[in-house]
Amino acid sequence: MTETVENCARILACVGDSGLWFAGRAIGRGAGVLKGALSDGETCGGTWTERNWFGAGQADVTCSNGASGRVYFTYQDRWTGTATGNGTLSDGNRIEMWSGNRVPEFLENTTGKPALPCGEAAIPIS
């Protein structure tokens, strides 16, 4: 939540339908890098920009298992980096992502507790 290029926002994502998830950080303001890991231990990294050539946010990611993909996102609040998006990996798995300091608010389940809705069992987050 600063105007510096060292700004850091949380990223959470569901990958596919089997309960696989991603946790990481987006670093930068307006554009930057992202780093994190899948719940199965594979690491992932890439780049992001808040506005690509057709006006959407875009993140490109490559993982240590060779999968790569793209997510298009829209901001709910640019200042906090709060965004939601969807995309696909090269292996065909769908990606649904949330980013920013307000992610838990977007992911509150019916019990009022934040949970990442990946697969049949939601993953609790804090």
Side-chain angles (χ1 to χ4, degrees):
M1 291 178 48
T2 69
E3 293 184 13
T4 71
V5 294
E6 289 85 28
N7 185 58
C8 181
R10 181 181 199 178
I11 303 172
L12 295 172
C14 295
V15 180
D17 298 321
S18 64
L20 185 64
W21 51 273
F22 172 86
R25 300 279 181 207
I27 302 162
R29 171 128 338 255
V33 297
L34 62 94
K35 298 177 183 180
L38 295 167
S39 56
D40 66 2
E42 298 290 340
T43 59
C44 303
T47 60
W48 65 272
T49 184
E50 74 172 318
R51 187 159 296 172
N52 64 11
W53 63 274
F54 65 89
Q58 179 178 314
D60 294 302
V61 62
T62 301
C63 298
S64 57
N65 62 5
S68 62
R70 177 170 286 166
V71 173
Y72 295 104
F73 60 88
T74 56
Y75 281 99
Q76 311 303 313
D77 182 347
R78 277 191 165 82
W79 183 251
T80 63
T82 303
T84 58
N86 291 284
T88 307
L89 284 175
S90 57
D91 62 8
N93 277 319
R94 181 183 56 81
I95 306 168
E96 185 174 6
M97 63 77 59
W98 300 266
S99 177
N101 297 320
R102 296 189 177 151
V103 169
E105 294 171 27
F106 280 87
L107 297 174
E108 284 188 1
N109 62 23
T110 56
T111 67
K113 297 185 188 229
L116 196 56
C118 302
E120 293 181 21
I123 294 95
I125 61 171
S126 58

